[in-house]
Amino acid sequence: MGLSRLAALHGVATSYSPSPDVTVSVPDDTVIAVLAALGVDAGTPEDVRRSLVAAESRSRLLPPTVVVWAGEPLPPVLTGLPPGSTVTVEPEPTPDGPPAPATSWRVPEGASSWKAPEAASSGKAPEAAVPGSPEAASPGSLGVTASGSPEAAPSGGLGAASPGSPEAAPSGSPEAASSGNAADPPGPPPAAAPAGWTEPPYGVHRLHVRTPDRHEATATLVVAPARVPQPPERTHGFLVQLYSLLSARSWGMGDLGDLADLASWAGRTLGSGFVQVNPLHAAVPGRPTDPSPYRPSSRRFPDPVHLHVESIPEYGQLHDRAILDDLRQDAAALSEAVLNKGALIDRDAVWELKRQALELIAEVPLTPGRRAAYCDFLAEQGQALEDHALWCALAEVHGPDWHSWPEPLRDPRSPATARARSGLLDRVDLHCRLAWLTATQLAGAQRAAEDAGMEIGIVHDLAVGVHPAGADTWAQQDAFAHGISVGAPPDAFNARGQDWGLPPWRPDTLAATGYAAFRGLLRGLLGHAGALRIDHVMGLFRLWWVPEGRPPTDGAYVAYDAEAMLAVLVLEAHRAGAVVVGEDLGTVEPGVREALARRGVLGTSVLWFERDWDGDGRPLAPGAWRQDCLATATTHDLPSTAARLTGDHVTLRHRLGLLTRPLEAELTEDVTATAEWLALLARLRMLPEGDGNEEAAVRAVHRFLLATPARMVGVWLPDTVGDRRPQNLPGTWDQYPNWRLPIADPEGHPVTLEEIAASPRLHALMEVLRPGRARTAPPGARRT
């Protein structure tokens, strides 16, 4: 009981439920290892007793984080303070000037506590609290939480959804509550707020409380809008892995110039509202570089391999063009090999050419205006950029795994590291310059999308974690749990579980630092985005921690302060005016989708998985789909629609030895499932051409998506030209060319952006999503 109690106090689950009727206990050794990664000693019974005493003796006057949602009742932790307590709020500094002065007030005497505010005058009943929060079990809490108190830590016994069977999504469409205005005025005061309460402006502030008996406590106070900005009632767009989108001018892989061109063309010609791309985070350098965009060195800064070299202003000011011309010829040869000779995309070869070109360009002096813009960027990014650039420079000397560097350099704040920085100033400045150039082109892609009339624009992707040897884990060592990797527990589809090789953030460090790392990460990504997709959005609530050296089956769920994480997410999305899409596929803890929907975070619904899992298991009719989602036919981890319809994905997995059952059994099941969907499409008169026409069936699938109430409909760009190959095949490493394939036609011949734009197959498909004559939007026609 002692170990279980200690684990619960620190949010470590001692059991999990792979299905509603099954509960699996977590091995004690795993619990002890996970607690150790959180700085809690539980190695012996005596250690457990000491750690329990320490945890239970902490002051509970305030939890680490208090969340106030604009326009909603105050949390009980504030309304329940002892009479006579003094409450002080120190607002966070603002970018444009000094912080607002601190405000203080005293809890009225003569009452047992402040009266909790009533529901708003609209007459609506208060909504339920977020699952896992203390108030979820308190009927008088009115649904507003104070987050992170030790006694509120989840026990880990929450049931999970059946694998692959998402729970029914909440019905209806909550009203949009946030305009997306970047200004941060005070939110509307809660009805019947306690005397003396003045709601601070949106932000992350410091909250101080002193009781009459001289007990004091300090906490982080997050004041956030009720919801993130919302997309228009209906919009469609493309989903694409940027590296796979080569144009005639690419240097062997797609780049930010291609992204801007795709957005401009799609917005003006097709009326598309967005383009969603893979994570563009900085990769770990080396040969070979890990090609997965979901295992980056840093999520805080983009990778300069995506730069379109010719668009850099200094490119045109180089006087000696011979070397650049040679590099361009080599780049053209790389593209030719990929497009016409069957070669795979070689990120390392592309970067080697671009690196040489960028080093030459960096020698060109910046004009006064460009120098001023660069200096502003350096000032805005501050220490985070300095650390990232220094890691890149040190990696060039000592290799890309900082754990193998000379010991003094493993500490980013050591005197040896400071001396090394002085000796590498030129390289540090180069990497800072590359980060600026990449951010500038990211901003340019979003401007191109907006000028083309896109309602949303570029949808960037936030990976769930970072490489253990990369820049972020070096610069933010205290924020990560050492000796731990994120993954997934065993389920019906993977009996061995999953280990993704990504160290998780420590929830206690996040809380202790006011979520500074999370806030900075979001602010950087949202700065040039119309929307943000969050991979494995369930990680805001809990993550499966796997101790080093143990199989994924021997992991445990660790809870995060979801209320605080959501509040920070909503706050930063509001400041950026950006939509948020959560990837919530697979096993999802009950209540998570409802909590996300309440805050305006859209879910992700993939056609083939949308079935009546609580009933007969048959395909879900379009009217039964949730509205607040991005609806698609496939994703980067799934077969293309053509491969799904033809069964090619099953034979591919068979060739690679990935099937766990005989090929005949897999094919029979796949054919049956596909036939059910085609029959539904035929009954709904969405397949007028009849069976046997692959292109017609792809169009019918998208007619179905358009018939759902989904706010966003995503079209996998390779589907528009009949590509049969998945970009990534989970369960493979070198058996399949993951993350290295260009977009191709049905015969597997790569096609360029120019060929895609002229494809009759694409235009026939897009007529389904935008019937009638195409149009060209005037500049600046973005709908607000």
Side-chain angles (χ1 to χ4, degrees), residues 536-584:
H536 194 70
V537 72
M538 299 82 78
L540 298 178
F541 295 76
R542 65 177 185 178
L543 283 172
W544 183 255
W545 286 26
V546 181
E548 185 177 350
R550 289 179 169 82
T553 51
D554 289 353
Y557 275 117
V558 174
Y560 288 75
D561 186 344
E563 186 81 348
M565 299 281 276
L566 276 174
V568 170
L569 173 63
V570 172
L571 173 65
E572 295 300 337
H574 163 79
R575 286 173 164 171
V579 174
V580 179
V581 179
E583 185 270 297
D584 57 349

Short mmCIF file of all heavy atoms in Angstrom, two decimals, residues 536-584:
data_model
loop_
_atom_site.label_atom_id
_atom_site.label_comp_id
_atom_site.label_asym_id
_atom_site.label_seq_id
_atom_site.Cartn_x
_atom_site.Cartn_y
_atom_site.Cartn_z
N HIS A 536 -0.30 12.82 -30.92
CA HIS A 536 -0.60 12.12 -29.66
C HIS A 536 -1.03 13.12 -28.59
O HIS A 536 -0.41 13.26 -27.53
CB HIS A 536 0.63 11.32 -29.20
CG HIS A 536 0.32 10.32 -28.12
ND1 HIS A 536 -0.41 9.18 -28.33
CD2 HIS A 536 0.64 10.31 -26.80
CE1 HIS A 536 -0.51 8.50 -27.21
NE2 HIS A 536 0.10 9.17 -26.25
N VAL A 537 -2.10 13.84 -28.88
CA VAL A 537 -2.56 14.90 -27.97
C VAL A 537 -2.92 14.36 -26.60
O VAL A 537 -2.94 15.11 -25.61
CB VAL A 537 -3.75 15.65 -28.61
CG1 VAL A 537 -5.00 14.80 -28.61
CG2 VAL A 537 -3.99 16.99 -27.92
N MET A 538 -3.16 13.06 -26.50
CA MET A 538 -3.44 12.46 -25.19
C MET A 538 -2.28 12.63 -24.22
O MET A 538 -2.44 12.50 -23.00
CB MET A 538 -3.76 10.98 -25.34
CG MET A 538 -4.98 10.70 -26.19
SD MET A 538 -4.64 10.71 -27.98
CE MET A 538 -3.88 9.12 -28.23
N GLY A 539 -1.09 12.97 -24.77
CA GLY A 539 0.08 13.18 -23.91
C GLY A 539 -0.04 14.41 -23.04
O GLY A 539 0.75 14.58 -22.10
N LEU A 540 -1.02 15.28 -23.30
CA LEU A 540 -1.27 16.39 -22.38
C LEU A 540 -1.85 15.89 -21.07
O LEU A 540 -1.84 16.60 -20.06
CB LEU A 540 -2.23 17.39 -23.01
CG LEU A 540 -1.78 18.10 -24.29
CD1 LEU A 540 -2.87 19.03 -24.79
CD2 LEU A 540 -0.48 18.86 -24.07
N PHE A 541 -2.39 14.68 -21.08
CA PHE A 541 -3.05 14.11 -19.91
C PHE A 541 -2.18 13.05 -19.23
O PHE A 541 -2.04 13.05 -18.01
CB PHE A 541 -4.39 13.48 -20.33
CG PHE A 541 -5.39 14.47 -20.83
CD1 PHE A 541 -5.29 15.01 -22.11
CD2 PHE A 541 -6.44 14.89 -20.03
CE1 PHE A 541 -6.21 15.94 -22.58
CE2 PHE A 541 -7.37 15.81 -20.49
CZ PHE A 541 -7.25 16.35 -21.76
N ARG A 542 -1.62 12.15 -20.02
CA ARG A 542 -0.76 11.11 -19.45
C ARG A 542 0.11 10.54 -20.57
O ARG A 542 -0.24 10.61 -21.75
CB ARG A 542 -1.57 9.99 -18.80
CG ARG A 542 -2.43 9.20 -19.79
CD ARG A 542 -3.17 8.06 -19.12
NE ARG A 542 -3.89 7.25 -20.11
CZ ARG A 542 -4.59 6.16 -19.82
NH1 ARG A 542 -4.68 5.74 -18.57
NH2 ARG A 542 -5.22 5.48 -20.78
N LEU A 543 1.27 9.98 -20.18
CA LEU A 543 2.16 9.32 -21.13
C LEU A 543 2.62 7.99 -20.54
O LEU A 543 2.75 7.85 -19.31
CB LEU A 543 3.38 10.20 -21.42
CG LEU A 543 3.18 11.38 -22.38
CD1 LEU A 543 4.43 12.25 -22.40
CD2 LEU A 543 2.85 10.90 -23.78
N TRP A 544 2.87 7.06 -21.43
CA TRP A 544 3.36 5.74 -21.03
C TRP A 544 4.88 5.80 -20.93
O TRP A 544 5.57 5.96 -21.92
CB TRP A 544 2.92 4.70 -22.07
CG TRP A 544 3.29 3.28 -21.76
CD1 TRP A 544 4.28 2.54 -22.35
CD2 TRP A 544 2.67 2.40 -20.82
NE1 TRP A 544 4.31 1.27 -21.84
CE2 TRP A 544 3.33 1.15 -20.90
CE3 TRP A 544 1.60 2.55 -19.94
CZ2 TRP A 544 2.96 0.07 -20.12
CZ3 TRP A 544 1.24 1.47 -19.15
CH2 TRP A 544 1.91 0.25 -19.24
N TRP A 545 5.40 5.74 -19.69
CA TRP A 545 6.84 5.81 -19.44
C TRP A 545 7.42 4.41 -19.38
O TRP A 545 6.94 3.56 -18.63
CB TRP A 545 7.11 6.52 -18.11
CG TRP A 545 6.92 8.00 -18.13
CD1 TRP A 545 6.11 8.73 -18.95
CD2 TRP A 545 7.54 8.94 -17.25
NE1 TRP A 545 6.19 10.07 -18.65
CE2 TRP A 545 7.06 10.23 -17.61
CE3 TRP A 545 8.45 8.84 -16.21
CZ2 TRP A 545 7.47 11.39 -16.95
CZ3 TRP A 545 8.85 10.00 -15.55
CH2 TRP A 545 8.37 11.25 -15.92
N VAL A 546 8.48 4.19 -20.16
CA VAL A 546 9.17 2.89 -20.18
C VAL A 546 10.59 3.09 -19.64
O VAL A 546 11.39 3.79 -20.26
CB VAL A 546 9.24 2.32 -21.61
CG1 VAL A 546 9.92 0.96 -21.60
CG2 VAL A 546 7.84 2.22 -22.23
N PRO A 547 10.92 2.51 -18.48
CA PRO A 547 12.28 2.64 -17.95
C PRO A 547 13.31 2.02 -18.89
O PRO A 547 13.04 0.99 -19.54
CB PRO A 547 12.22 1.91 -16.61
CG PRO A 547 10.77 1.91 -16.24
CD PRO A 547 10.03 1.80 -17.54
N GLU A 548 14.47 2.63 -18.96
CA GLU A 548 15.55 2.15 -19.82
C GLU A 548 15.90 0.70 -19.49
O GLU A 548 16.02 0.32 -18.32
CB GLU A 548 16.78 3.04 -19.63
CG GLU A 548 17.94 2.71 -20.56
CD GLU A 548 19.10 3.68 -20.38
OE1 GLU A 548 18.91 4.70 -19.68
OE2 GLU A 548 20.18 3.42 -20.92
N GLY A 549 16.06 -0.11 -20.53
CA GLY A 549 16.42 -1.52 -20.35
C GLY A 549 15.25 -2.44 -20.15
O GLY A 549 15.44 -3.66 -20.07
N ARG A 550 14.03 -1.90 -20.08
CA ARG A 550 12.85 -2.74 -19.91
C ARG A 550 12.03 -2.76 -21.19
O ARG A 550 12.05 -1.81 -21.97
CB ARG A 550 11.99 -2.22 -18.75
CG ARG A 550 12.60 -2.44 -17.38
CD ARG A 550 11.70 -1.88 -16.28
NE ARG A 550 12.12 -2.30 -14.96
CZ ARG A 550 13.08 -1.73 -14.26
NH1 ARG A 550 13.75 -0.71 -14.78
NH2 ARG A 550 13.41 -2.17 -13.06
N PRO A 551 11.30 -3.83 -21.42
CA PRO A 551 10.44 -3.87 -22.61
C PRO A 551 9.26 -2.92 -22.45
O PRO A 551 8.91 -2.54 -21.31
CB PRO A 551 9.98 -5.33 -22.66
CG PRO A 551 10.03 -5.79 -21.24
CD PRO A 551 11.21 -5.08 -20.63
N PRO A 552 8.62 -2.52 -23.55
CA PRO A 552 7.48 -1.60 -23.45
C PRO A 552 6.33 -2.15 -22.61
O PRO A 552 5.52 -1.38 -22.09
CB PRO A 552 7.05 -1.41 -24.91
CG PRO A 552 8.25 -1.74 -25.71
CD PRO A 552 8.99 -2.80 -24.94
N THR A 553 6.26 -3.47 -22.48
CA THR A 553 5.21 -4.05 -21.63
C THR A 553 5.38 -3.67 -20.17
O THR A 553 4.41 -3.65 -19.41
CB THR A 553 5.21 -5.58 -21.76
OG1 THR A 553 6.55 -6.06 -21.54
CG2 THR A 553 4.75 -6.02 -23.14
N ASP A 554 6.61 -3.35 -19.77
CA ASP A 554 6.89 -3.01 -18.37
C ASP A 554 6.97 -1.50 -18.18
O ASP A 554 7.92 -0.97 -17.60
CB ASP A 554 8.21 -3.65 -17.92
CG ASP A 554 8.10 -5.16 -17.77
OD1 ASP A 554 6.97 -5.67 -17.89
OD2 ASP A 554 9.14 -5.81 -17.58
N GLY A 555 5.96 -0.81 -18.67
CA GLY A 555 5.89 0.63 -18.48
C GLY A 555 4.80 0.99 -17.51
O GLY A 555 4.14 0.13 -16.90
N ALA A 556 4.58 2.29 -17.34
CA ALA A 556 3.52 2.79 -16.46
C ALA A 556 3.06 4.15 -16.98
O ALA A 556 3.85 4.92 -17.53
CB ALA A 556 4.03 2.94 -15.02
N TYR A 557 1.79 4.44 -16.80
CA TYR A 557 1.27 5.75 -17.14
C TYR A 557 1.66 6.76 -16.06
O TYR A 557 1.55 6.49 -14.86
CB TYR A 557 -0.25 5.73 -17.26
CG TYR A 557 -0.75 5.29 -18.62
CD1 TYR A 557 -1.52 4.13 -18.77
CD2 TYR A 557 -0.47 6.05 -19.76
CE1 TYR A 557 -1.98 3.73 -20.01
CE2 TYR A 557 -0.93 5.65 -21.00
CZ TYR A 557 -1.68 4.50 -21.13
OH TYR A 557 -2.13 4.12 -22.37
N VAL A 558 2.11 7.93 -16.51
CA VAL A 558 2.41 9.05 -15.62
C VAL A 558 1.50 10.20 -16.00
O VAL A 558 1.42 10.58 -17.18
CB VAL A 558 3.89 9.46 -15.70
CG1 VAL A 558 4.15 10.71 -14.88
CG2 VAL A 558 4.78 8.32 -15.24
N ALA A 559 0.81 10.76 -15.02
CA ALA A 559 -0.17 11.82 -15.27
C ALA A 559 0.51 13.18 -15.35
O ALA A 559 1.49 13.46 -14.64
CB ALA A 559 -1.22 11.83 -14.16
N TYR A 560 -0.01 14.01 -16.23
CA TYR A 560 0.38 15.41 -16.33
C TYR A 560 -0.80 16.26 -15.87
O TYR A 560 -1.95 15.81 -15.85
CB TYR A 560 0.78 15.77 -17.76
CG TYR A 560 2.09 15.15 -18.17
CD1 TYR A 560 2.18 13.79 -18.47
CD2 TYR A 560 3.25 15.90 -18.23
CE1 TYR A 560 3.39 13.20 -18.81
CE2 TYR A 560 4.47 15.34 -18.57
CZ TYR A 560 4.54 13.99 -18.86
OH TYR A 560 5.74 13.41 -19.19
N ASP A 561 -0.51 17.49 -15.49
CA ASP A 561 -1.57 18.39 -15.07
C ASP A 561 -2.29 18.88 -16.32
O ASP A 561 -1.94 19.91 -16.91
CB ASP A 561 -0.97 19.56 -14.29
CG ASP A 561 -2.03 20.46 -13.68
OD1 ASP A 561 -3.19 20.36 -14.11
OD2 ASP A 561 -1.69 21.25 -12.79
N ALA A 562 -3.28 18.12 -16.75
CA ALA A 562 -3.95 18.40 -18.01
C ALA A 562 -4.63 19.76 -18.02
O ALA A 562 -4.65 20.45 -19.04
CB ALA A 562 -4.97 17.29 -18.32
N GLU A 563 -5.18 20.16 -16.88
CA GLU A 563 -5.85 21.45 -16.83
C GLU A 563 -4.86 22.58 -17.09
O GLU A 563 -5.14 23.52 -17.85
CB GLU A 563 -6.52 21.62 -15.47
CG GLU A 563 -7.36 22.87 -15.34
CD GLU A 563 -8.76 22.72 -15.95
OE1 GLU A 563 -9.00 21.73 -16.66
OE2 GLU A 563 -9.60 23.60 -15.72
N ALA A 564 -3.70 22.50 -16.48
CA ALA A 564 -2.69 23.52 -16.70
C ALA A 564 -2.14 23.47 -18.12
O ALA A 564 -1.94 24.52 -18.76
CB ALA A 564 -1.55 23.37 -15.69
N MET A 565 -1.87 22.27 -18.62
CA MET A 565 -1.36 22.13 -19.98
C MET A 565 -2.35 22.69 -21.00
O MET A 565 -1.99 23.39 -21.95
CB MET A 565 -1.06 20.66 -20.28
CG MET A 565 -0.01 20.02 -19.39
SD MET A 565 1.69 20.43 -19.84
CE MET A 565 1.99 19.21 -21.12
N LEU A 566 -3.63 22.37 -20.80
CA LEU A 566 -4.66 22.88 -21.70
C LEU A 566 -4.76 24.40 -21.62
O LEU A 566 -4.93 25.08 -22.64
CB LEU A 566 -6.01 22.24 -21.38
CG LEU A 566 -6.30 20.88 -21.98
CD1 LEU A 566 -7.62 20.34 -21.44
CD2 LEU A 566 -6.35 20.96 -23.50
N ALA A 567 -4.69 24.93 -20.41
CA ALA A 567 -4.80 26.37 -20.25
C ALA A 567 -3.66 27.10 -20.97
O ALA A 567 -3.87 28.12 -21.63
CB ALA A 567 -4.82 26.74 -18.77
N VAL A 568 -2.44 26.57 -20.85
CA VAL A 568 -1.30 27.17 -21.55
C VAL A 568 -1.49 27.06 -23.06
O VAL A 568 -1.23 28.01 -23.82
CB VAL A 568 0.01 26.50 -21.10
CG1 VAL A 568 1.17 26.93 -22.00
CG2 VAL A 568 0.31 26.85 -19.65
N LEU A 569 -1.95 25.90 -23.53
CA LEU A 569 -2.20 25.71 -24.95
C LEU A 569 -3.25 26.69 -25.47
O LEU A 569 -3.06 27.34 -26.51
CB LEU A 569 -2.66 24.27 -25.21
CG LEU A 569 -3.12 23.94 -26.63
CD1 LEU A 569 -1.98 24.11 -27.62
CD2 LEU A 569 -3.67 22.51 -26.68
N VAL A 570 -4.36 26.82 -24.75
CA VAL A 570 -5.42 27.73 -25.18
C VAL A 570 -4.91 29.17 -25.18
O VAL A 570 -5.20 29.95 -26.10
CB VAL A 570 -6.66 27.57 -24.28
CG1 VAL A 570 -7.70 28.64 -24.58
CG2 VAL A 570 -7.28 26.18 -24.46
N LEU A 571 -4.17 29.53 -24.15
CA LEU A 571 -3.64 30.89 -24.05
C LEU A 571 -2.74 31.22 -25.24
O LEU A 571 -2.89 32.27 -25.88
CB LEU A 571 -2.86 31.04 -22.74
CG LEU A 571 -2.09 32.34 -22.54
CD1 LEU A 571 -3.04 33.52 -22.45
CD2 LEU A 571 -1.22 32.25 -21.28
N GLU A 572 -1.79 30.35 -25.55
CA GLU A 572 -0.85 30.64 -26.64
C GLU A 572 -1.54 30.58 -28.00
O GLU A 572 -1.20 31.37 -28.90
CB GLU A 572 0.33 29.67 -26.58
CG GLU A 572 1.21 29.82 -25.34
CD GLU A 572 1.83 31.21 -25.21
OE1 GLU A 572 1.97 31.91 -26.24
OE2 GLU A 572 2.17 31.60 -24.09
N ALA A 573 -2.50 29.67 -28.18
CA ALA A 573 -3.23 29.62 -29.44
C ALA A 573 -4.05 30.90 -29.63
O ALA A 573 -4.15 31.44 -30.73
CB ALA A 573 -4.12 28.39 -29.49
N HIS A 574 -4.64 31.38 -28.53
CA HIS A 574 -5.39 32.64 -28.60
C HIS A 574 -4.49 33.79 -29.00
O HIS A 574 -4.85 34.62 -29.86
CB HIS A 574 -6.03 32.92 -27.24
CG HIS A 574 -6.47 34.34 -27.07
ND1 HIS A 574 -7.63 34.84 -27.61
CD2 HIS A 574 -5.88 35.39 -26.43
CE1 HIS A 574 -7.75 36.12 -27.31
NE2 HIS A 574 -6.70 36.48 -26.60
N ARG A 575 -3.32 33.88 -28.40
CA ARG A 575 -2.40 34.96 -28.72
C ARG A 575 -1.98 34.93 -30.19
O ARG A 575 -1.76 35.96 -30.81
CB ARG A 575 -1.18 34.88 -27.81
CG ARG A 575 -1.46 35.32 -26.39
CD ARG A 575 -0.29 35.06 -25.46
NE ARG A 575 -0.42 35.83 -24.22
CZ ARG A 575 0.35 35.67 -23.15
NH1 ARG A 575 1.31 34.76 -23.17
NH2 ARG A 575 0.16 36.40 -22.08
N ALA A 576 -1.86 33.73 -30.75
CA ALA A 576 -1.45 33.59 -32.15
C ALA A 576 -2.63 33.61 -33.11
O ALA A 576 -2.42 33.69 -34.32
CB ALA A 576 -0.67 32.29 -32.32
N GLY A 577 -3.86 33.54 -32.58
CA GLY A 577 -5.02 33.44 -33.45
C GLY A 577 -5.05 32.16 -34.24
O GLY A 577 -5.48 32.13 -35.40
N ALA A 578 -4.61 31.05 -33.65
CA ALA A 578 -4.42 29.80 -34.38
C ALA A 578 -5.39 28.72 -33.91
O ALA A 578 -5.71 28.61 -32.73
CB ALA A 578 -2.98 29.29 -34.20
N VAL A 579 -5.83 27.90 -34.86
CA VAL A 579 -6.64 26.72 -34.60
C VAL A 579 -5.74 25.62 -34.04
O VAL A 579 -4.54 25.59 -34.33
CB VAL A 579 -7.32 26.26 -35.90
CG1 VAL A 579 -8.08 24.95 -35.73
CG2 VAL A 579 -8.25 27.36 -36.42
N VAL A 580 -6.29 24.71 -33.26
CA VAL A 580 -5.53 23.57 -32.73
C VAL A 580 -6.25 22.28 -33.08
O VAL A 580 -7.46 22.14 -32.85
CB VAL A 580 -5.33 23.66 -31.21
CG1 VAL A 580 -4.55 22.44 -30.70
CG2 VAL A 580 -4.60 24.95 -30.84
N VAL A 581 -5.50 21.33 -33.64
CA VAL A 581 -6.02 20.01 -33.99
C VAL A 581 -5.24 18.98 -33.19
O VAL A 581 -4.00 18.99 -33.21
CB VAL A 581 -5.88 19.71 -35.49
CG1 VAL A 581 -6.41 18.31 -35.81
CG2 VAL A 581 -6.61 20.76 -36.32
N GLY A 582 -5.93 18.10 -32.48
CA GLY A 582 -5.27 17.06 -31.72
C GLY A 582 -5.38 15.71 -32.42
O GLY A 582 -6.45 15.33 -32.87
N GLU A 583 -4.26 15.00 -32.53
CA GLU A 583 -4.29 13.63 -33.07
C GLU A 583 -4.68 12.71 -31.93
O GLU A 583 -3.88 12.42 -31.04
CB GLU A 583 -2.91 13.28 -33.65
CG GLU A 583 -2.87 11.93 -34.36
CD GLU A 583 -2.51 10.80 -33.40
OE1 GLU A 583 -1.41 10.81 -32.86
OE2 GLU A 583 -3.37 9.91 -33.20
N ASP A 584 -5.95 12.28 -31.92
CA ASP A 584 -6.49 11.49 -30.82
C ASP A 584 -6.94 10.12 -31.29
O ASP A 584 -7.99 9.62 -30.88
CB ASP A 584 -7.65 12.25 -30.14
CG ASP A 584 -8.77 12.59 -31.12
OD1 ASP A 584 -8.58 12.43 -32.34
OD2 ASP A 584 -9.85 13.01 -30.66
#
